[in-house]
């Protein structure tokens, strides 16, 4: 390849796109030190409130209503100091200045009318107007990255004080709920104005515009079309909802950011600062770089590993793409395809457990299930998506005849197989040894078991460092180097096994000990801090280097930088969750969520597939330009209830987790989709390709991700719901992976070789059968049979623990409308029928042959399905015991795939080889 397209991007171009993640200012002197120490103070504060130490020392014990405002105060203060006012504006500066100027003047003029009327609330609008004019004035100043103008200092202090107000006057506000004073309203009004501007600086205009539309809708309800009209709200009521309570800005979304997300983002930042990021990339390339299209395959794996602990698809692109995209171009991929592979891999990192772009914690809160249940449900789609992306890379390499990179040492096939078998066996043995050793230690040592395990972990760490010190350190590769030879995978892997220790602690605390996500992240961060401080010191000692002080000082600096980077990475997330809280508060205040249901139902005409398509399109539109967390909050608040309500009304019981994952997947697709796909813009800045062309190509690759939500809404087993045993689960997982690989072959028109139309049709039929075998089996025999309501007690008490029951309800909703719906409720542990139904939030009365709902617990699973007091249970739906397992249809589907494989294999051997790609 030659010409302008082969040139590297302009210096800093990708960094400019990624500036929304961490800020763009880099002031020196005391101002730079202030930003550095404020960011570190934020990280230390979050570590403190996540730890058990406040309760151990009975010091600085903070509840959610106090921790959330402090969290947002830090974020707002840093947002105004770290992010220049002109960031994201480009050519829109005149429009932006005019908008804030008109808004400020309008607020001041309105305050004059209040003064004339003798209304003391005029001061509220004077403060908001002055702040608006200051923001407009800011846009007229040149953007300087090495200094902070006085206006930004004023805005930073006022914004932080507006959030901290809820902590400083916590007791006073608690004593007057719903009756704010004039100063309360001044603070709330100023806070909202400054939060919107902070969101614009850190995230771009999209979320700010959406939040403004919802605020305007709050006050202008009586003046909008009848289908979406409402009574409107007073300024006092709106501010009480949005700022002075936990129903708006300081609601669940910001609470999740405070309690869980920060710790995981900090964990990822510290892991990268320790050198694990470079280690993961090097291991991926050493293992996969020799394969056909190896650099692209390694990019997929390394982006997936980065996505495990990252909360941003853009951060994934910039972190791994800086190395992988130029290397993919060098081996023969076009700039568009190289960038598209990185975009697809990085965006898919947001659906990869355990972090899922921080949305896993939000989903758990919104759905009301355990965090581990979210991870369990998201596992199969994520794995199938990544493996199928790996296959896309392979097909594109086959089409272009792209080979892998040369290896430094070529071992015989038998030796490589033996090494692979030994590695897998070693991992299995190690996992079992850790599991049973820890269990024995807890039984043997009782209360001091944690101390004993910490000593054992330290000994293992020292031994791994001693082993590592015998080999040279990994150096970052130059992707533009013309002579790259892959290192030996074993030689690379042994230099960083100690990086796996914090990950093991994290997984253990989450999955085995079932600790909260925040506490799990805290305990995983402790060994990571130790690694940053001591790995260079211990390595130097084992190598005979006596510069211990120098190594320790570098470790202290790396720790400080990691704490600082973690806080800076969290600014956008905290601002996003707080701003998205405005939307949540508006929905609760105005009831617009029900309106969205009516609009989608009207447009779809009651057709379920059309309803899902409309919901997916709306999620794409709502998600444009939003980071992962804000994206999910918006689509979950507006669109997830639409799926639940409309599907249940036509007899399809969609689990809440399926509805939330559906909107989450399509909200994420906005990061790819032109014209606003931010990840595509970041990748194109590195590859030198057109952002639109990169986005279109990445969207084509991501079609496979887009079909999965449509499938798991109908086939819940893809979310491991209804899976009865290990063998059943294995069959579901293997079938899903094979189906996704076949779907890739269909979309790429290439299986073993180029497919013919009839072969594509057969592969598509087999793919559909593997993903949704129940579609065909339902034509033969229904999956469920109905029992009268009187059987409810017997069915519930006979059901195994942690199972689900399918019930049909009829009656009047809160609006007085006659409704009927089918829902699936989780029964929890075994016990009496009333107790198990109460676990799902449902209180019932058995009235002879009838069963009536007497109570629905607020915020429960039953309440989220829209079950209301007074409804009747009309049917109990149980699985048909005589129906053949639908998994039997996997066999003919696999036979069809095998037939096409044999046919294409024969044709491929008879056809001439594909000519090599021209460069």
């Amino acid at each position: 390849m030659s010409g302008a397209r082969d040139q590297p991007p302009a210096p800093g171009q990708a960094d400019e796109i990624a500036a929304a993640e961490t800020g763009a200012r880099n002031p020196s002197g005391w101002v730079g030190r202030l930003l550095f120490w404020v960011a570190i103070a934020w990280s230390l504060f979050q570590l403190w409130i996540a730890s058990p130490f406040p309760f151990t020392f009975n010091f600085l014990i903070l509840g959610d209503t106090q921790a959330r405002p402090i969290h947002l105060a830090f974020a707002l203060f840093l947002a105004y100091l770290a992010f220049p006012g002109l960031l994201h504006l480009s050519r829109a500066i005149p429009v932006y200045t005019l908008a804030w100027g008109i808004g400020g003047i309008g607020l001041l003029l309105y305050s004059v009318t209040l003064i004339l009327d003798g209304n003391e609330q005029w001061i509220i609008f004077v403060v908001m107007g002055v702040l608006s004019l200051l923001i407009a004035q800011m846009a007229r100043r040149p953007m300087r990255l090495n200094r902070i103008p006085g206006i930004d200092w004023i805005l930073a202090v006022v914004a932080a004080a507006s959030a901290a107000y809820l902590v400083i006057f916590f007791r006073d506000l608690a004593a007057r709920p719903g009756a704010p004073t004039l100063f309360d309203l001044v603070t709330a009004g100023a806070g909202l104005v400054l939060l919107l501007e902070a969101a614009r600086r850190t995230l771009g205009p999209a979320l700010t515009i959406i939040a403004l539309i919802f605020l305007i809708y709050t006050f202008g309800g009586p003046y909008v079309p009848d289908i979406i009209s409402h009574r409107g709200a007073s300024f006092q009521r709106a501010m009480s909802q949005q700022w002075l309570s936990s129903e708006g800005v300081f609601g669940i979304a910001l609470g999740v950011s405070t309690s869980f997300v920060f710790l995981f983002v900090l964990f990822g930042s510290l892991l990268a600062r320790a050198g694990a990021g470079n280690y993961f990339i090097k291991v991926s390339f050493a293992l996969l770089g020799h394969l056909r299209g190896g650099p692209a395959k390694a990019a997929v794996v390394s982006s997936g590993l980065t996505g495990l602990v990252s909360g941003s698809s853009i951060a994934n692109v910039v972190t791994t793409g800086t190395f992988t995209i130029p290397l993919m171009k060098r081996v023969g991929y076009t700039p568009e395809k190289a960038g598209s592979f990185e975009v697809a891999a990085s965006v898919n990192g947001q659906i990869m457990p355990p972090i899922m772009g921080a949305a896993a914690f939000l989903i758990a809160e919104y759905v009301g299930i355990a965090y581990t249940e979210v991870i369990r449900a998201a596992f199969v789609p994520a794995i199938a998506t990544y493996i199928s992306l790996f296959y896309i890379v392979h097909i594109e390499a086959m089409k272009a005849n792209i080979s892998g990179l040369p290896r430094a040492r070529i071992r015989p096939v038998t030796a490589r197989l033996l090494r692979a078998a030994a590695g897998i066996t070693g991992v299995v043995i190690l996992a079992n040894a850790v599991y049973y050793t820890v269990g024995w230690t807890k039984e043997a040592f009782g209360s001091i078991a944690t101390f004993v395990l910490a000593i054992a972990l330290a000994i293992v760490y020292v031994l791994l460092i001693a082993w590592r010190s015998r080999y040279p350190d990994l150096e970052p590769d130059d992707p533009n180097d013309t002579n790259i030879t892959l290192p030996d995978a074993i030689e690379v892997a042994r230099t960083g096994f100690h990086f796996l220790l914090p990950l093991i602690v994290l997984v253990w605390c989450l999955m085995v000990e079932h600790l909260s996500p925040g506490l799990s992240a805290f305990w995983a961060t402790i060994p990571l801090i130790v690694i940053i401080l001591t790995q260079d010191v211990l390595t130097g000692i084992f190598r005979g280097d006596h510069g211990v002080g120098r190594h320790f000082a570098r470790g202290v600096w790396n720790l400080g930088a990691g704490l600082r980077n973690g806080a800076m990475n969290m600014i956008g997330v905290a601002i996003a969750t707080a701003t998205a809280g405005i939307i949540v508060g508006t929905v609760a205040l105005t009831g617009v969520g029900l309106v969205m249901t009516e609009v989608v139902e009207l447009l779809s005409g009651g057709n379920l597939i059309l309803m899902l398509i409309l919901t997916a399109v709306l999620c794409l539109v709502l998600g444009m330009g939003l980071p992962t967390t804000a994206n999910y909050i918006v689509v979950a608040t507006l669109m997830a209830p639409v799926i639940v309500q409309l599907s249940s009304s036509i007899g399809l019981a969609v689990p809440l987790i399926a509805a939330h994952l559906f909107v989450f997947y399509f909200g994420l697709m906005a990061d790819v989709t032109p014209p606003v796909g931010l990840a595509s813009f970041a990748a194109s800045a590195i590859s030198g390709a057109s952002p639109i062309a990169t986005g279109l190509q990445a969207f084509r690759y991501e079609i496979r991700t887009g079909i999965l939500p449509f499938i798991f809404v109908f086939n819940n087993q893809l979310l491991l719901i209804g899976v009865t045993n290990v063998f059943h689960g294995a069959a579901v997982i293997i079938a899903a992976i094979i189906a996704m690989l076949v779907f890739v072959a269909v979309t790429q028109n290439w299986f073993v070789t180029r497919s013919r139309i009839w072969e594509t049709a057969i592969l598509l039929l087999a793919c559909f059968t593997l993903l949704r075998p129940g579609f065909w089996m339902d034509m033969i025999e229904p999956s469920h049979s109905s029992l009268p309501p009187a059987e409810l007690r017997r069915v519930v008490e006979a059901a195994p623990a942690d199972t689900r029951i399918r019930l049909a309800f009829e009656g009047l909703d809160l609006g007085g409308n006659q409704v009927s719906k089918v829902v699936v409720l989780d029964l929890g542990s075994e016990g009496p029928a009333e107790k198990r139904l109460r676990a799902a939030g449902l209180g019932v009365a058995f009235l002879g042959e009838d069963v009536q709902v007497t109570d629905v617990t607020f915020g429960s699973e039953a309440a989220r399905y829209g079950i209301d007091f007074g409804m009747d249970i009309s049917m109990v739906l149980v699985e048909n015991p005589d129906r053949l397992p639908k998994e039997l249809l996997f066999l003919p589907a696999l036979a069809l795939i095998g037939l096409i494989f044999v046919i294409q294999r024969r044709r491929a051997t008879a056809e001439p080889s594909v000519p090599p790609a021209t460069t």
Side-chain angles (χ1 to χ4, degrees):
M1 292 176 291
S2 61
R5 300 182 78 183
D6 195 37
Q7 299 301 317
Q13 190 176 357
D15 294 334
E16 290 175 7
I17 295 172
E21 304 290 324
T22 59
R25 281 192 179 128
N26 187 25
S28 57
W30 71 269
V31 176
R33 290 192 292 274
L34 175 67
L35 288 179
F36 183 83
W37 286 109
V38 169
I40 288 180
W42 190 13
S43 292
L44 294 177
F45 166 76
Q46 296 291 158
L47 285 171
W48 176 264
I49 63 173
S51 72
F53 299 146
F55 302 96
T56 302
F57 300 105
N58 196 29
F59 173 72
L60 202 61
I61 301 175
L62 299 175
D64 286 342
T65 52
Q66 297 163 296
R68 293 175 189 178
I70 296 175
H71 179 80
L72 183 58
F74 272 114
L76 288 169
F77 185 78
L78 290 172
Y80 278 99
L81 299 185
F83 290 78
L86 301 187
L87 196 63
H88 298 297
L89 287 182
S90 184
R91 300 178 182 177
I93 293 176
V95 176
Y96 177 79
T97 305
L98 183 63
W100 275 111
I102 291 175
I105 293 172
L107 290 168
L108 292 177
L109 291 176
Y110 181 63
S111 66
V112 172
T113 64
L114 294 179
I115 293 174
L116 295 176
D117 290 340
N119 191 328
E120 64 178 3
Q121 289 192 359
W122 63 268
I123 192 172
I124 302 171
F125 300 96
V126 168
V127 171
M128 294 172 66
V130 169
L131 291 174
S132 300
L133 292 177
L134 284 176
I135 295 170
Q137 177 68 17
M138 169 275 305
R140 299 178 58 190
R141 296 171 176 266
M143 184 167 70
R144 298 176 182 175
L145 302 183
N146 59 352
R147 64 180 297 272
I148 301 173
I151 290 177
D152 281 359
W153 283 105
I154 295 172
L155 297 178
V157 172
V158 175
S162 298
Y165 181 86
L166 275 74
V167 179
I168 298 171
F169 297 100
F170 169 72
R171 296 185 183 279
D172 295 328
L173 291 170
R176 52 173 186 269
T181 64
L182 178 61
F183 198 63
D184 294 343
L185 296 176
V186 170
T187 304
L192 273 182
V193 169
L194 294 173
L195 175 61
L196 290 171
E197 165 60 9
R200 199 277 308 162
R201 291 188 183 205
T202 56
L203 308 167
L207 184 58
T208 301
I209 293 172
I210 293 174
L212 274 173
I213 291 172
F214 275 82
L215 281 176
I216 294 171
Y217 177 72
T218 299
F219 300 111
Y223 310 106
V224 298
D226 289 342
I227 191 172
I228 59 172
S229 64
H230 65 94
R231 295 176 56 188
S234 65
F235 184 83
Q236 175 177 321
R237 186 182 176 204
M239 292 304 101
S240 296
Q241 176 87 8
Q242 298 288 10
W243 196 268
L244 302 174
S245 71
S246 59
E247 301 298 323
V249 170
F250 299 96
I252 291 176
L254 187 64
V256 171
S257 175
T258 305
S259 303
F260 308 141
V261 179
F262 192 107
L263 271 296
F264 280 85
V265 172
L266 178 62
F267 180 80
S269 175
L270 292 173
L271 201 62
R273 197 70 195 184
N278 180 50
Y279 174 74
F280 288 152
I281 293 175
K282 297 280 283 189
V283 169
S284 301
F285 271 84
L287 289 172
L288 304 171
H290 66 285
L291 301 175
R292 183 186 288 271
K297 292 176 179 176
V300 171
V301 174
S302 58
S303 294
L305 292 173
T306 304
L308 289 174
V309 293
S310 171
S312 167
S313 53
I314 301 172
N316 284 4
V317 169
V318 176
T319 301
T320 60
T322 304
F323 176 74
T324 60
I325 291 175
L327 199 53
M328 284 189 274
K329 290 169 60 180
R330 274 195 49 220
V331 299
Y333 289 107
T334 65
E336 290 82 5
K337 289 187 177 180
S340 299
F341 288 142
E342 183 59 49
V343 169
S346 296
V347 171
N348 288 159
Q350 304 302 281
I351 66 174
M352 179 65 70
I355 310 302
M356 298 171 63
F361 316 112
L362 289 163
I363 293 172
E365 292 293 323
Y366 277 105
V367 178
I369 59 176
Y371 167 76
T372 51
E373 287 298 309
V374 177
I375 301 306
R376 182 173 181 264
F379 174 75
V380 175
I383 292 299
T385 297
Y386 256 102
I387 292 177
S388 59
L389 179 58
F390 199 84
Y391 186 43
I392 289 177
V393 171
H394 181 74
I395 290 177
E396 292 286 12
M398 290 176 64
K399 289 180 179 179
N401 198 21
I402 296 175
S403 58
L405 296 174
R407 287 183 289 190
R409 183 187 305 173
I410 300 178
R411 290 188 172 91
V413 175
T414 53
R416 295 202 297 270
L417 290 176
L418 286 174
R419 279 174 171 260
I424 295 172
T425 304
V427 170
V428 172
I429 293 174
L430 180 62
N432 282 277
V434 169
Y435 181 81
Y436 289 107
T437 300
V438 172
W440 173 82
T441 303
K442 291 168 68 176
E443 292 181 1
F445 293 93
S447 60
I448 64 169
T450 302
F451 180 70
V452 173
L453 289 172
I455 293 176
L457 188 68
I459 293 172
V460 172
Y461 166 63
V462 173
L463 292 176
L464 289 175
I465 291 293
W467 188 28
R468 172 210 186 197
S469 65
R470 297 165 54 190
Y471 307 100
D473 295 333
L474 296 178
E475 296 294 336
D477 286 329
D478 180 5
N480 297 308
D481 189 356
T482 57
N483 185 25
I484 291 183
T485 301
L486 293 175
D488 184 78
I490 298 297
E491 293 177 359
V492 173
R494 62 193 174 194
T495 63
F497 281 130
H498 61 290
F499 291 132
L500 301 180
L501 296 178
L503 293 174
I504 292 172
V505 172
L506 176 63
V507 173
W508 180 272
C509 292
L510 281 173
M511 302 301 179
V512 180
E513 299 293 338
H514 297 290
L515 300 181
S516 70
L519 189 57
S520 300
F522 169 78
W523 287 121
T525 302
I526 298 302
L528 186 52
I529 291 174
V530 173
I531 288 175
I532 293 175
L533 290 174
T534 63
Q535 63 177 343
D536 289 340
V537 173
L538 293 175
T539 301
I541 292 174
F542 286 120
R543 289 176 177 171
D545 182 355
H546 300 294
V548 173
R550 172 169 49 85
H551 292 310
F552 183 74
R554 183 167 62 182
V556 172
W557 168 252
N558 283 333
L559 175 60
L563 292 171
R564 182 260 182 197
N565 292 344
M568 299 304 287
N569 288 335
M570 266 303 298
I571 295 174
V573 177
I575 298 295
T577 52
T579 309
I582 295 174
I583 300 167
V584 177
T586 302
V587 171
L589 190 61
T590 65
V592 69
L594 297 176
V595 173
M596 293 296 295
T597 302
E598 294 174 3
V599 170
V600 172
E601 184 177 22
L602 178 65
L603 294 176
S604 65
N607 183 285
L608 181 60
I609 296 297
L610 186 56
M611 179 268 291
L612 291 174
I613 293 173
L614 285 172
T615 304
V617 172
L618 287 171
C619 289
L620 280 173
V621 174
L622 291 170
M624 285 185 177
L626 301 185
T628 303
T629 45
N631 190 323
Y632 169 72
I633 296 166
V634 172
V635 296
T637 303
L638 294 175
M639 303 312 302
V642 173
I643 296 177
V644 172
Q645 296 297 332
L646 294 184
S647 60
S648 63
S649 66
I650 61 175
L652 176 66
V654 177
L656 289 173
I657 182 66
H660 280 258
L661 286 177
F662 182 96
V663 298
F664 174 59
Y665 270 51
F666 279 103
L668 274 181
M669 292 286 282
D671 266 354
V672 177
T673 311
V676 191
L678 297 181
S680 298
F681 275 82
S684 65
I686 301 171
S687 68
S690 163
I692 300 299
T694 302
L696 290 173
Q697 185 67 52
F699 183 78
R700 183 188 172 201
Y701 292 152
E702 285 294 85
I703 290 175
R704 76 198 195 289
T705 306
I707 70 158
L708 275 175
F710 284 96
I711 298 299
F712 61 58
V713 161
F714 294 97
N715 181 11
N716 303 153
Q717 288 183 352
L718 284 180
L719 305 180
L720 298 181
I721 296 174
V723 173
T724 55
N725 53 57
V726 174
F727 298 105
H728 188 191
V732 169
I733 293 172
I734 293 171
I737 292 173
I738 294 174
M740 290 302 294
L741 296 178
V742 172
F743 184 78
V744 165
V746 169
T747 57
Q748 294 292 311
N749 196 33
W750 188 289
F751 190 31
V752 178
T753 186
R754 194 171 302 279
S755 298
R756 293 169 179 168
I757 294 178
W758 66 271
E759 292 172 337
T760 298
I762 291 177
L763 289 175
L764 190 58
L765 175 65
C767 170
F768 180 77
T769 303
L770 289 173
L771 288 175
R772 198 184 167 196
F775 178 82
W776 306 111
M777 193 61 75
D778 289 345
M779 293 182 179
I780 302 172
E781 195 170 6
S783 60
H784 290 79
S785 56
S786 60
L787 297 176
E791 295 289 320
L792 176 63
R793 188 191 301 273
R794 180 185 63 81
V795 172
V796 170
E797 293 181 350
D802 298 320
T803 191
R804 294 169 181 264
I805 188 169
R806 190 179 299 256
L807 301 174
F809 291 84
E810 290 182 352
L812 300 177
D813 62 12
L814 292 178
N817 303 310
Q818 183 70 29
V819 296
S820 62
K821 56 182 64 184
V822 177
V823 304
V824 177
L825 299 177
D826 192 343
L827 292 177
S829 59
E830 296 181 357
E834 288 83 353
K835 179 182 177 182
R836 302 190 73 181
L837 291 171
R838 175 60 65 183
L842 198 65
V844 299
F846 293 89
L847 308 173
E849 297 295 318
D850 299 323
V851 180
Q852 189 175 67
V853 177
T854 59
D855 180 36
V856 178
T857 305
F858 178 77
S860 64
E861 187 178 26
R864 291 186 177 94
Y865 276 117
I867 307 302
D868 293 321
F869 164 80
M871 284 186 172
D872 295 320
I873 296 179
S874 57
M875 283 188 299
V876 179
L877 301 169
V878 296
E879 291 188 4
N880 191 340
D882 299 325
R883 192 171 94 149
L884 293 173
K886 60 183 179 182
E887 288 76 20
L888 289 176
L889 292 173
F890 289 167
L891 298 178
L894 294 174
L896 289 175
I897 295 170
L899 175 64
I900 301 302
F901 177 84
V902 171
I903 293 172
Q904 290 201 4
R905 182 75 175 177
R906 290 178 179 175
R907 188 165 72 247
T909 56
E911 293 174 348
S913 60
V914 179
T918 58
T919 60

